Amino acid sequence: MNLSMLREWLEQRAGGMYGGEAITQQAHALQCASLALQAQASEELIAAALLHDIGHLAPGALDTSQPHGELAADLLDDLFSAAVTMPIRYHVAAKRYLCVADPHYWSSLSPASQRSLEWQGGAFTVEEANEFIALPYAEDAVSLRLWDDAAKVVGATTENLDFFLARLEKLQRSSRNAVQGYANPAYS
């Protein structure tokens, strides 16, 4: 994986509808990254917001064989530091966590997100939720998850793809030699 491939995937493969929602995958990625930008998140977390669903665009990708967050993080591990890849790896687990941490979270999910949560393992137990939130990058994954949930607005105004790709290029250079973080496969 490299930045040219990311551009190609986001330009040419992300035009399809996003998982039963009324927007395209590209619009969803741009909205999610724009929400992170508006929240003044770190450059790494903005990158994670843009790229969190890139696993859906991989050839032959099926969430049933490898969860898309895990696949995306694996694809991006050589390009970016753990501060980018771990929130991506954990963003599905963050949805499972939020079902326990926030009693109103489940009802705030779109019908498509409620359906996907079922085959993603459902809500964590209280013990699982406590273990998850103690992991490095789990709080970033929760922020990413909330932007992910909100990034489904038809016609929302966002920054364009070139804006975010230029930021990725700078981030890639600065994080290329960074030490990768801890990955707990139980939460991938």
Side-chain angles (χ1 to χ4, degrees):
M1 177 64 61
N2 58 44
L3 290 181
S4 295
M5 288 177 69
L6 287 175
R7 174 183 286 281
E8 178 188 331
W9 286 17
L10 288 167
E11 287 178 343
Q12 298 177 11
R13 295 183 182 190
M17 299 311 285
Y18 170 70
E21 305 293 347
I23 65 168
T24 66
Q25 291 188 27
Q26 184 187 72
H28 173 68
L30 293 173
Q31 281 184 38
C32 196
S34 292
L35 290 169
L37 182 68
Q38 290 167 11
Q40 300 179 345
S42 69
E43 288 296 322
E44 292 85 0
L45 199 48
I46 293 167
L50 179 70
L51 301 173
H52 73 282
D53 282 339
I54 202 79
H56 283 310
L57 305 179
L62 293 173
D63 254 343
T64 53
S65 59
Q66 183 177 19
H68 71 280
E70 181 181 319
L71 176 57
D74 289 348
L75 289 169
L76 299 169
D77 269 341
D78 289 338
L79 286 176
F80 302 107
S81 71
V84 175
T85 61
M86 294 310 291
I88 292 171
R89 187 175 300 280
Y90 291 160
H91 82 277
V92 170
K95 179 165 60 166
R96 299 178 69 199
Y97 164 81
L98 282 164
C99 286
V100 175
D102 178 354
H104 304 290
Y105 180 73
W106 166 260
S107 62
S108 75
L109 292 173
S110 69
S113 284
Q114 289 176 344
R115 282 190 302 277
S116 67
L117 177 64
E118 291 176 27
W119 57 262
Q120 290 166 335
F124 278 152
T125 65
V126 171
E127 182 180 328
E128 290 170 328
N130 289 333
E131 288 174 10
F132 169 76
I133 202 61
L135 294 172
Y137 304 105
E139 289 182 16
D140 285 346
V142 170
S143 295
L144 171 56
R145 178 80 246 168
L146 294 172
W147 298 320
D148 183 5
D149 294 332
K152 300 174 184 178
V153 179
V154 176
T157 302
T158 66
E159 296 292 346
N160 65 35
L161 185 57
D162 286 333
F163 172 85
F164 288 113
L165 290 174
R167 295 170 87 106
L168 288 182
E169 187 173 341
K170 291 177 188 173
L171 187 61
Q172 176 202 7
R173 284 192 208 118
S174 67
S175 67
R176 187 172 287 149
N177 296 317
V179 175
Q180 294 297 305
Y182 172 75
N184 183 336
Y187 299 107
S188 298

mmCIF file of all heavy atoms in Angstrom, residues 64-115:
data_model
loop_
_atom_site.group_PDB
_atom_site.id
_atom_site.type_symbol
_atom_site.label_atom_id
_atom_site.label_comp_id
_atom_site.label_asym_id
_atom_site.label_seq_id
_atom_site.Cartn_x
_atom_site.Cartn_y
_atom_site.Cartn_z
ATOM 1 N N THR A 64 -16.733 -10.638 6.933
ATOM 2 C CA THR A 64 -16.916 -11.933 7.585
ATOM 3 C C THR A 64 -15.625 -12.736 7.642
ATOM 4 O O THR A 64 -15.445 -13.560 8.534
ATOM 5 C CB THR A 64 -18.004 -12.751 6.867
ATOM 6 O OG1 THR A 64 -17.679 -12.819 5.471
ATOM 7 C CG2 THR A 64 -19.376 -12.118 7.042
ATOM 8 N N SER A 65 -14.693 -12.490 6.701
ATOM 9 C CA SER A 65 -13.421 -13.220 6.726
ATOM 10 C C SER A 65 -12.327 -12.441 7.459
ATOM 11 O O SER A 65 -11.478 -13.031 8.108
ATOM 12 C CB SER A 65 -12.961 -13.573 5.313
ATOM 13 O OG SER A 65 -12.796 -12.412 4.538
ATOM 14 N N GLN A 66 -12.311 -11.123 7.331
ATOM 15 C CA GLN A 66 -11.395 -10.268 8.086
ATOM 16 C C GLN A 66 -12.085 -8.931 8.305
ATOM 17 O O GLN A 66 -12.401 -8.240 7.336
ATOM 18 C CB GLN A 66 -10.064 -10.055 7.357
ATOM 19 C CG GLN A 66 -9.089 -9.225 8.184
ATOM 20 C CD GLN A 66 -7.736 -9.055 7.523
ATOM 21 O OE1 GLN A 66 -7.578 -9.233 6.333
ATOM 22 N NE2 GLN A 66 -6.747 -8.692 8.315
ATOM 23 N N PRO A 67 -12.332 -8.552 9.554
ATOM 24 C CA PRO A 67 -13.002 -7.280 9.818
ATOM 25 C C PRO A 67 -12.298 -6.118 9.116
ATOM 26 O O PRO A 67 -11.074 -6.056 9.080
ATOM 27 C CB PRO A 67 -12.937 -7.148 11.339
ATOM 28 C CG PRO A 67 -12.811 -8.557 11.827
ATOM 29 C CD PRO A 67 -11.998 -9.267 10.786
ATOM 30 N N HIS A 68 -13.100 -5.196 8.560
ATOM 31 C CA HIS A 68 -12.542 -4.124 7.734
ATOM 32 C C HIS A 68 -11.586 -3.206 8.495
ATOM 33 O O HIS A 68 -10.636 -2.701 7.916
ATOM 34 C CB HIS A 68 -13.655 -3.320 7.061
ATOM 35 C CG HIS A 68 -14.436 -2.447 7.983
ATOM 36 N ND1 HIS A 68 -15.451 -2.926 8.781
ATOM 37 C CD2 HIS A 68 -14.343 -1.121 8.234
ATOM 38 C CE1 HIS A 68 -15.953 -1.926 9.490
ATOM 39 N NE2 HIS A 68 -15.300 -0.819 9.174
ATOM 40 N N GLY A 69 -11.804 -2.994 9.772
ATOM 41 C CA GLY A 69 -10.895 -2.165 10.555
ATOM 42 C C GLY A 69 -9.538 -2.826 10.711
ATOM 43 O O GLY A 69 -8.491 -2.179 10.598
ATOM 44 N N GLU A 70 -9.546 -4.117 10.953
ATOM 45 C CA GLU A 70 -8.302 -4.880 11.062
ATOM 46 C C GLU A 70 -7.568 -4.899 9.721
ATOM 47 O O GLU A 70 -6.353 -4.682 9.653
ATOM 48 C CB GLU A 70 -8.633 -6.298 11.518
ATOM 49 C CG GLU A 70 -7.441 -7.199 11.697
ATOM 50 C CD GLU A 70 -7.841 -8.595 12.123
ATOM 51 O OE1 GLU A 70 -8.748 -8.731 12.967
ATOM 52 O OE2 GLU A 70 -7.239 -9.544 11.606
ATOM 53 N N LEU A 71 -8.298 -5.142 8.638
ATOM 54 C CA LEU A 71 -7.697 -5.156 7.307
ATOM 55 C C LEU A 71 -7.109 -3.787 6.961
ATOM 56 O O LEU A 71 -5.976 -3.690 6.471
ATOM 57 C CB LEU A 71 -8.735 -5.570 6.256
ATOM 58 C CG LEU A 71 -8.281 -5.541 4.796
ATOM 59 C CD1 LEU A 71 -7.051 -6.414 4.575
ATOM 60 C CD2 LEU A 71 -9.429 -5.969 3.886
ATOM 61 N N ALA A 72 -7.854 -2.727 7.233
ATOM 62 C CA ALA A 72 -7.364 -1.370 6.954
ATOM 63 C C ALA A 72 -6.079 -1.090 7.725
ATOM 64 O O ALA A 72 -5.103 -0.584 7.163
ATOM 65 C CB ALA A 72 -8.429 -0.335 7.303
ATOM 66 N N ALA A 73 -6.066 -1.422 9.003
ATOM 67 C CA ALA A 73 -4.868 -1.186 9.817
ATOM 68 C C ALA A 73 -3.690 -1.995 9.291
ATOM 69 O O ALA A 73 -2.567 -1.475 9.215
ATOM 70 C CB ALA A 73 -5.153 -1.522 11.280
ATOM 71 N N ASP A 74 -3.935 -3.226 8.905
ATOM 72 C CA ASP A 74 -2.860 -4.043 8.343
ATOM 73 C C ASP A 74 -2.323 -3.430 7.048
ATOM 74 O O ASP A 74 -1.111 -3.412 6.824
ATOM 75 C CB ASP A 74 -3.343 -5.471 8.075
ATOM 76 C CG ASP A 74 -3.575 -6.280 9.345
ATOM 77 O OD1 ASP A 74 -3.153 -5.834 10.438
ATOM 78 O OD2 ASP A 74 -4.199 -7.359 9.239
ATOM 79 N N LEU A 75 -3.206 -2.929 6.201
ATOM 80 C CA LEU A 75 -2.792 -2.307 4.940
ATOM 81 C C LEU A 75 -1.970 -1.044 5.173
ATOM 82 O O LEU A 75 -1.081 -0.723 4.388
ATOM 83 C CB LEU A 75 -4.017 -1.960 4.090
ATOM 84 C CG LEU A 75 -4.781 -3.125 3.473
ATOM 85 C CD1 LEU A 75 -6.103 -2.652 2.899
ATOM 86 C CD2 LEU A 75 -3.938 -3.807 2.397
ATOM 87 N N LEU A 76 -2.267 -0.320 6.237
ATOM 88 C CA LEU A 76 -1.659 0.983 6.494
ATOM 89 C C LEU A 76 -0.452 0.940 7.434
ATOM 90 O O LEU A 76 0.237 1.946 7.597
ATOM 91 C CB LEU A 76 -2.713 1.936 7.060
ATOM 92 C CG LEU A 76 -3.899 2.215 6.130
ATOM 93 C CD1 LEU A 76 -4.998 2.952 6.886
ATOM 94 C CD2 LEU A 76 -3.459 2.973 4.892
ATOM 95 N N ASP A 77 -0.195 -0.206 8.051
ATOM 96 C CA ASP A 77 0.878 -0.317 9.047
ATOM 97 C C ASP A 77 2.240 0.138 8.540
ATOM 98 O O ASP A 77 3.022 0.695 9.304
ATOM 99 C CB ASP A 77 0.994 -1.751 9.568
ATOM 100 C CG ASP A 77 0.144 -2.011 10.795
ATOM 101 O OD1 ASP A 77 -0.247 -1.035 11.471
ATOM 102 O OD2 ASP A 77 -0.131 -3.186 11.077
ATOM 103 N N ASP A 78 2.545 -0.108 7.283
ATOM 104 C CA ASP A 78 3.860 0.282 6.758
ATOM 105 C C ASP A 78 3.941 1.760 6.402
ATOM 106 O O ASP A 78 5.031 2.286 6.200
ATOM 107 C CB ASP A 78 4.214 -0.552 5.521
ATOM 108 C CG ASP A 78 4.536 -2.000 5.871
ATOM 109 O OD1 ASP A 78 4.891 -2.276 7.034
ATOM 110 O OD2 ASP A 78 4.420 -2.856 4.976
ATOM 111 N N LEU A 79 2.805 2.427 6.302
ATOM 112 C CA LEU A 79 2.781 3.843 5.917
ATOM 113 C C LEU A 79 2.717 4.794 7.100
ATOM 114 O O LEU A 79 3.264 5.892 7.038
ATOM 115 C CB LEU A 79 1.561 4.136 5.040
ATOM 116 C CG LEU A 79 1.592 3.651 3.607
ATOM 117 C CD1 LEU A 79 0.269 3.947 2.931
ATOM 118 C CD2 LEU A 79 2.726 4.314 2.856
ATOM 119 N N PHE A 80 2.013 4.382 8.150
ATOM 120 C CA PHE A 80 1.700 5.304 9.236
ATOM 121 C C PHE A 80 1.980 4.678 10.598
ATOM 122 O O PHE A 80 2.019 3.468 10.752
ATOM 123 C CB PHE A 80 0.223 5.730 9.165
ATOM 124 C CG PHE A 80 -0.161 6.387 7.884
ATOM 125 C CD1 PHE A 80 -0.945 5.726 6.958
ATOM 126 C CD2 PHE A 80 0.278 7.672 7.588
ATOM 127 C CE1 PHE A 80 -1.290 6.333 5.762
ATOM 128 C CE2 PHE A 80 -0.063 8.285 6.398
ATOM 129 C CZ PHE A 80 -0.858 7.617 5.478
ATOM 130 N N SER A 81 2.082 5.543 11.573
ATOM 131 C CA SER A 81 2.343 5.109 12.948
ATOM 132 C C SER A 81 1.081 4.508 13.579
ATOM 133 O O SER A 81 -0.021 4.593 13.036
ATOM 134 C CB SER A 81 2.808 6.302 13.785
ATOM 135 O OG SER A 81 1.719 7.187 14.017
ATOM 136 N N ALA A 82 1.280 3.955 14.749
ATOM 137 C CA ALA A 82 0.171 3.371 15.510
ATOM 138 C C ALA A 82 -0.895 4.406 15.850
ATOM 139 O O ALA A 82 -2.061 4.059 16.017
ATOM 140 C CB ALA A 82 0.701 2.728 16.784
ATOM 141 N N ALA A 83 -0.513 5.666 15.945
ATOM 142 C CA ALA A 83 -1.493 6.716 16.245
ATOM 143 C C ALA A 83 -2.522 6.855 15.132
ATOM 144 O O ALA A 83 -3.621 7.354 15.360
ATOM 145 C CB ALA A 83 -0.789 8.047 16.490
ATOM 146 N N VAL A 84 -2.193 6.389 13.934
ATOM 147 C CA VAL A 84 -3.155 6.339 12.823
ATOM 148 C C VAL A 84 -3.833 4.972 12.785
ATOM 149 O O VAL A 84 -5.057 4.876 12.708
ATOM 150 C CB VAL A 84 -2.462 6.615 11.465
ATOM 151 C CG1 VAL A 84 -3.445 6.430 10.304
ATOM 152 C CG2 VAL A 84 -1.844 8.005 11.432
ATOM 153 N N THR A 85 -3.046 3.911 12.839
ATOM 154 C CA THR A 85 -3.602 2.580 12.577
ATOM 155 C C THR A 85 -4.394 1.976 13.733
ATOM 156 O O THR A 85 -5.355 1.248 13.500
ATOM 157 C CB THR A 85 -2.495 1.602 12.151
ATOM 158 O OG1 THR A 85 -1.531 1.484 13.206
ATOM 159 C CG2 THR A 85 -1.821 2.067 10.865
ATOM 160 N N MET A 86 -4.009 2.264 14.965
ATOM 161 C CA MET A 86 -4.715 1.625 16.082
ATOM 162 C C MET A 86 -6.149 2.127 16.260
ATOM 163 O O MET A 86 -7.052 1.315 16.488
ATOM 164 C CB MET A 86 -3.907 1.743 17.371
ATOM 165 C CG MET A 86 -2.587 0.957 17.330
ATOM 166 S SD MET A 86 -2.753 -0.764 16.774
ATOM 167 C CE MET A 86 -3.645 -1.430 18.166
ATOM 168 N N PRO A 87 -6.433 3.425 16.157
ATOM 169 C CA PRO A 87 -7.842 3.826 16.207
ATOM 170 C C PRO A 87 -8.669 3.178 15.083
ATOM 171 O O PRO A 87 -9.832 2.817 15.291
ATOM 172 C CB PRO A 87 -7.786 5.349 16.058
ATOM 173 C CG PRO A 87 -6.440 5.724 16.583
ATOM 174 C CD PRO A 87 -5.537 4.590 16.141
ATOM 175 N N ILE A 88 -8.051 3.011 13.914
ATOM 176 C CA ILE A 88 -8.736 2.319 12.814
ATOM 177 C C ILE A 88 -8.997 0.871 13.204
ATOM 178 O O ILE A 88 -10.109 0.363 13.044
ATOM 179 C CB ILE A 88 -7.892 2.395 11.519
ATOM 180 C CG1 ILE A 88 -7.830 3.833 11.006
ATOM 181 C CG2 ILE A 88 -8.443 1.450 10.457
ATOM 182 C CD1 ILE A 88 -6.859 4.056 9.857
ATOM 183 N N ARG A 89 -7.973 0.211 13.710
ATOM 184 C CA ARG A 89 -8.109 -1.199 14.113
ATOM 185 C C ARG A 89 -9.219 -1.369 15.159
ATOM 186 O O ARG A 89 -9.938 -2.364 15.168
ATOM 187 C CB ARG A 89 -6.774 -1.699 14.676
ATOM 188 C CG ARG A 89 -6.740 -3.180 14.981
ATOM 189 C CD ARG A 89 -5.368 -3.655 15.410
ATOM 190 N NE ARG A 89 -4.326 -3.438 14.432
ATOM 191 C CZ ARG A 89 -4.093 -4.216 13.363
ATOM 192 N NH1 ARG A 89 -4.855 -5.271 13.141
ATOM 193 N NH2 ARG A 89 -3.109 -3.929 12.544
ATOM 194 N N TYR A 90 -9.365 -0.391 16.039
ATOM 195 C CA TYR A 90 -10.298 -0.507 17.160
ATOM 196 C C TYR A 90 -11.657 0.163 16.932
ATOM 197 O O TYR A 90 -12.491 0.158 17.830
ATOM 198 C CB TYR A 90 -9.683 0.113 18.410
ATOM 199 C CG TYR A 90 -8.511 -0.620 19.012
ATOM 200 C CD1 TYR A 90 -7.649 0.052 19.865
ATOM 201 C CD2 TYR A 90 -8.259 -1.967 18.776
ATOM 202 C CE1 TYR A 90 -6.570 -0.590 20.456
ATOM 203 C CE2 TYR A 90 -7.182 -2.617 19.354
ATOM 204 C CZ TYR A 90 -6.345 -1.928 20.199
ATOM 205 O OH TYR A 90 -5.288 -2.560 20.782
ATOM 206 N N HIS A 91 -11.919 0.751 15.765
ATOM 207 C CA HIS A 91 -13.156 1.539 15.644
ATOM 208 C C HIS A 91 -14.421 0.696 15.703
ATOM 209 O O HIS A 91 -15.459 1.187 16.131
ATOM 210 C CB HIS A 91 -13.124 2.492 14.434
ATOM 211 C CG HIS A 91 -13.468 1.906 13.115
ATOM 212 N ND1 HIS A 91 -12.551 1.222 12.337
ATOM 213 C CD2 HIS A 91 -14.615 1.929 12.412
ATOM 214 C CE1 HIS A 91 -13.126 0.851 11.215
ATOM 215 N NE2 HIS A 91 -14.386 1.262 11.237
ATOM 216 N N VAL A 92 -14.360 -0.570 15.327
ATOM 217 C CA VAL A 92 -15.529 -1.445 15.480
ATOM 218 C C VAL A 92 -15.705 -1.811 16.954
ATOM 219 O O VAL A 92 -16.820 -1.775 17.481
ATOM 220 C CB VAL A 92 -15.413 -2.691 14.588
ATOM 221 C CG1 VAL A 92 -16.500 -3.706 14.917
ATOM 222 C CG2 VAL A 92 -15.477 -2.295 13.116
ATOM 223 N N ALA A 93 -14.612 -2.116 17.622
ATOM 224 C CA ALA A 93 -14.688 -2.408 19.056
ATOM 225 C C ALA A 93 -15.222 -1.206 19.826
ATOM 226 O O ALA A 93 -15.948 -1.361 20.813
ATOM 227 C CB ALA A 93 -13.311 -2.811 19.579
ATOM 228 N N ALA A 94 -14.900 0.003 19.344
ATOM 229 C CA ALA A 94 -15.405 1.211 20.005
ATOM 230 C C ALA A 94 -16.932 1.286 19.929
ATOM 231 O O ALA A 94 -17.576 1.763 20.868
ATOM 232 C CB ALA A 94 -14.776 2.457 19.383
ATOM 233 N N LYS A 95 -17.502 0.815 18.843
ATOM 234 C CA LYS A 95 -18.969 0.779 18.737
ATOM 235 C C LYS A 95 -19.532 -0.194 19.773
ATOM 236 O O LYS A 95 -20.514 0.115 20.461
ATOM 237 C CB LYS A 95 -19.389 0.373 17.316
ATOM 238 C CG LYS A 95 -20.893 0.297 17.138
ATOM 239 C CD LYS A 95 -21.364 0.260 15.688
ATOM 240 C CE LYS A 95 -20.898 -0.871 14.856
ATOM 241 N NZ LYS A 95 -21.662 -1.006 13.591
ATOM 242 N N ARG A 96 -18.895 -1.323 19.918
ATOM 243 C CA ARG A 96 -19.334 -2.308 20.904
ATOM 244 C C ARG A 96 -19.197 -1.739 22.323
ATOM 245 O O ARG A 96 -20.046 -1.974 23.182
ATOM 246 C CB ARG A 96 -18.514 -3.587 20.744
ATOM 247 C CG ARG A 96 -18.687 -4.226 19.354
ATOM 248 C CD ARG A 96 -17.848 -5.461 19.174
ATOM 249 N NE ARG A 96 -18.394 -6.507 20.035
ATOM 250 C CZ ARG A 96 -17.708 -7.578 20.408
ATOM 251 N NH1 ARG A 96 -16.460 -7.753 20.020
ATOM 252 N NH2 ARG A 96 -18.275 -8.485 21.182
ATOM 253 N N TYR A 97 -18.110 -0.978 22.549
ATOM 254 C CA TYR A 97 -17.878 -0.327 23.849
ATOM 255 C C TYR A 97 -18.950 0.721 24.139
ATOM 256 O O TYR A 97 -19.499 0.774 25.241
ATOM 257 C CB TYR A 97 -16.486 0.323 23.847
ATOM 258 C CG TYR A 97 -16.303 1.331 24.951
ATOM 259 C CD1 TYR A 97 -15.998 0.921 26.236
ATOM 260 C CD2 TYR A 97 -16.458 2.691 24.707
ATOM 261 C CE1 TYR A 97 -15.847 1.839 27.261
ATOM 262 C CE2 TYR A 97 -16.300 3.619 25.718
ATOM 263 C CZ TYR A 97 -16.002 3.192 26.991
ATOM 264 O OH TYR A 97 -15.867 4.099 28.003
ATOM 265 N N LEU A 98 -19.240 1.560 23.167
ATOM 266 C CA LEU A 98 -20.190 2.660 23.380
ATOM 267 C C LEU A 98 -21.594 2.159 23.717
ATOM 268 O O LEU A 98 -22.343 2.849 24.414
ATOM 269 C CB LEU A 98 -20.226 3.578 22.157
ATOM 270 C CG LEU A 98 -19.051 4.545 22.068
ATOM 271 C CD1 LEU A 98 -18.933 5.132 20.665
ATOM 272 C CD2 LEU A 98 -19.182 5.640 23.116
ATOM 273 N N CYS A 99 -21.936 0.971 23.267
ATOM 274 C CA CYS A 99 -23.241 0.402 23.618
ATOM 275 C C CYS A 99 -23.364 0.153 25.116
ATOM 276 O O CYS A 99 -24.463 0.172 25.665
ATOM 277 C CB CYS A 99 -23.474 -0.901 22.851
ATOM 278 S SG CYS A 99 -23.838 -0.655 21.108
ATOM 279 N N VAL A 100 -22.240 -0.038 25.780
ATOM 280 C CA VAL A 100 -22.220 -0.237 27.228
ATOM 281 C C VAL A 100 -22.043 1.097 27.945
ATOM 282 O O VAL A 100 -22.703 1.377 28.942
ATOM 283 C CB VAL A 100 -21.084 -1.214 27.624
ATOM 284 C CG1 VAL A 100 -20.973 -1.344 29.139
ATOM 285 C CG2 VAL A 100 -21.297 -2.565 26.983
ATOM 286 N N ALA A 101 -21.158 1.941 27.421
ATOM 287 C CA ALA A 101 -20.793 3.186 28.100
ATOM 288 C C ALA A 101 -21.873 4.262 28.028
ATOM 289 O O ALA A 101 -21.948 5.109 28.911
ATOM 290 C CB ALA A 101 -19.493 3.732 27.501
ATOM 291 N N ASP A 102 -22.700 4.232 26.984
ATOM 292 C CA ASP A 102 -23.718 5.257 26.778
ATOM 293 C C ASP A 102 -25.064 4.587 26.551
ATOM 294 O O ASP A 102 -25.285 3.968 25.502
ATOM 295 C CB ASP A 102 -23.339 6.127 25.574
ATOM 296 C CG ASP A 102 -24.362 7.202 25.245
ATOM 297 O OD1 ASP A 102 -25.455 7.236 25.862
ATOM 298 O OD2 ASP A 102 -24.066 8.012 24.348
ATOM 299 N N PRO A 103 -25.996 4.705 27.486
ATOM 300 C CA PRO A 103 -27.278 4.007 27.352
ATOM 301 C C PRO A 103 -28.109 4.465 26.150
ATOM 302 O O PRO A 103 -29.018 3.756 25.721
ATOM 303 C CB PRO A 103 -28.001 4.310 28.669
ATOM 304 C CG PRO A 103 -27.271 5.426 29.305
ATOM 305 C CD PRO A 103 -25.895 5.460 28.732
ATOM 306 N N HIS A 104 -27.794 5.618 25.578
ATOM 307 C CA HIS A 104 -28.553 6.123 24.424
ATOM 308 C C HIS A 104 -27.862 5.838 23.097
ATOM 309 O O HIS A 104 -28.413 6.128 22.036
ATOM 310 C CB HIS A 104 -28.772 7.638 24.568
ATOM 311 C CG HIS A 104 -29.442 8.012 25.847
ATOM 312 N ND1 HIS A 104 -30.760 7.722 26.107
ATOM 313 C CD2 HIS A 104 -28.965 8.626 26.956
ATOM 314 C CE1 HIS A 104 -31.077 8.146 27.318
ATOM 315 N NE2 HIS A 104 -30.005 8.700 27.856
ATOM 316 N N TYR A 105 -26.679 5.269 23.154
ATOM 317 C CA TYR A 105 -25.895 5.091 21.937
ATOM 318 C C TYR A 105 -26.592 4.186 20.920
ATOM 319 O O TYR A 105 -26.688 4.529 19.747
ATOM 320 C CB TYR A 105 -24.498 4.548 22.278
ATOM 321 C CG TYR A 105 -23.640 4.332 21.060
ATOM 322 C CD1 TYR A 105 -23.097 5.411 20.371
ATOM 323 C CD2 TYR A 105 -23.390 3.048 20.577
ATOM 324 C CE1 TYR A 105 -22.321 5.229 19.248
ATOM 325 C CE2 TYR A 105 -22.606 2.860 19.451
ATOM 326 C CZ TYR A 105 -22.082 3.949 18.787
ATOM 327 O OH TYR A 105 -21.321 3.766 17.663
ATOM 328 N N TRP A 106 -27.044 3.019 21.349
ATOM 329 C CA TRP A 106 -27.682 2.062 20.430
ATOM 330 C C TRP A 106 -28.800 2.723 19.629
ATOM 331 O O TRP A 106 -28.871 2.593 18.415
ATOM 332 C CB TRP A 106 -28.218 0.856 21.195
ATOM 333 C CG TRP A 106 -29.164 0.010 20.383
ATOM 334 C CD1 TRP A 106 -30.532 0.021 20.432
ATOM 335 C CD2 TRP A 106 -28.826 -0.948 19.388
ATOM 336 N NE1 TRP A 106 -31.058 -0.873 19.527
ATOM 337 C CE2 TRP A 106 -30.028 -1.477 18.875
ATOM 338 C CE3 TRP A 106 -27.616 -1.406 18.867
ATOM 339 C CZ2 TRP A 106 -30.069 -2.451 17.876
ATOM 340 C CZ3 TRP A 106 -27.656 -2.378 17.873
ATOM 341 C CH2 TRP A 106 -28.865 -2.889 17.394
ATOM 342 N N SER A 107 -29.651 3.461 20.301
ATOM 343 C CA SER A 107 -30.789 4.076 19.601
ATOM 344 C C SER A 107 -30.353 5.210 18.678
ATOM 345 O O SER A 107 -31.112 5.598 17.791
ATOM 346 C CB SER A 107 -31.837 4.575 20.603
ATOM 347 O OG SER A 107 -31.283 5.570 21.439
ATOM 348 N N SER A 108 -29.139 5.728 18.849
ATOM 349 C CA SER A 108 -28.654 6.785 17.962
ATOM 350 C C SER A 108 -28.066 6.234 16.665
ATOM 351 O O SER A 108 -27.831 6.991 15.715
ATOM 352 C CB SER A 108 -27.590 7.633 18.686
ATOM 353 O OG SER A 108 -26.365 6.927 18.780
ATOM 354 N N LEU A 109 -27.815 4.942 16.613
ATOM 355 C CA LEU A 109 -27.224 4.333 15.420
ATOM 356 C C LEU A 109 -28.241 4.235 14.291
ATOM 357 O O LEU A 109 -29.430 4.012 14.527
ATOM 358 C CB LEU A 109 -26.703 2.925 15.741
ATOM 359 C CG LEU A 109 -25.510 2.829 16.672
ATOM 360 C CD1 LEU A 109 -25.243 1.369 17.022
ATOM 361 C CD2 LEU A 109 -24.287 3.472 16.058
ATOM 362 N N SER A 110 -27.754 4.358 13.069
ATOM 363 C CA SER A 110 -28.614 4.152 11.906
ATOM 364 C C SER A 110 -29.019 2.673 11.865
ATOM 365 O O SER A 110 -28.336 1.819 12.452
ATOM 366 C CB SER A 110 -27.874 4.523 10.627
ATOM 367 O OG SER A 110 -26.841 3.592 10.373
ATOM 368 N N PRO A 111 -30.109 2.345 11.193
ATOM 369 C CA PRO A 111 -30.495 0.933 11.078
ATOM 370 C C PRO A 111 -29.375 0.062 10.495
ATOM 371 O O PRO A 111 -29.169 -1.060 10.949
ATOM 372 C CB PRO A 111 -31.717 0.972 10.161
ATOM 373 C CG PRO A 111 -32.318 2.332 10.402
ATOM 374 C CD PRO A 111 -31.125 3.235 10.618
ATOM 375 N N ALA A 112 -28.627 0.580 9.533
ATOM 376 C CA ALA A 112 -27.520 -0.192 8.950
ATOM 377 C C ALA A 112 -26.441 -0.455 9.992
ATOM 378 O O ALA A 112 -25.879 -1.555 10.056
ATOM 379 C CB ALA A 112 -26.946 0.539 7.743
ATOM 380 N N SER A 113 -26.131 0.531 10.838
ATOM 381 C CA SER A 113 -25.131 0.343 11.892
ATOM 382 C C SER A 113 -25.624 -0.605 12.970
ATOM 383 O O SER A 113 -24.840 -1.373 13.533
ATOM 384 C CB SER A 113 -24.745 1.683 12.522
ATOM 385 O OG SER A 113 -23.893 2.403 11.673
ATOM 386 N N GLN A 114 -26.905 -0.557 13.268
ATOM 387 C CA GLN A 114 -27.452 -1.511 14.235
ATOM 388 C C GLN A 114 -27.334 -2.938 13.707
ATOM 389 O O GLN A 114 -26.943 -3.845 14.448
ATOM 390 C CB GLN A 114 -28.913 -1.174 14.548
ATOM 391 C CG GLN A 114 -29.084 0.071 15.378
ATOM 392 C CD GLN A 114 -30.548 0.439 15.603
ATOM 393 O OE1 GLN A 114 -31.445 -0.051 14.916
ATOM 394 N NE2 GLN A 114 -30.769 1.326 16.564
ATOM 395 N N ARG A 115 -27.643 -3.132 12.422
ATOM 396 C CA ARG A 115 -27.538 -4.470 11.823
ATOM 397 C C ARG A 115 -26.082 -4.948 11.824
ATOM 398 O O ARG A 115 -25.809 -6.099 12.177
ATOM 399 C CB ARG A 115 -28.084 -4.478 10.395
ATOM 400 C CG ARG A 115 -29.589 -4.519 10.306
ATOM 401 C CD ARG A 115 -30.075 -4.775 8.880
ATOM 402 N NE ARG A 115 -29.594 -3.783 7.919
ATOM 403 C CZ ARG A 115 -30.159 -2.589 7.706
ATOM 404 N NH1 ARG A 115 -31.232 -2.247 8.395
ATOM 405 N NH2 ARG A 115 -29.663 -1.760 6.805
#
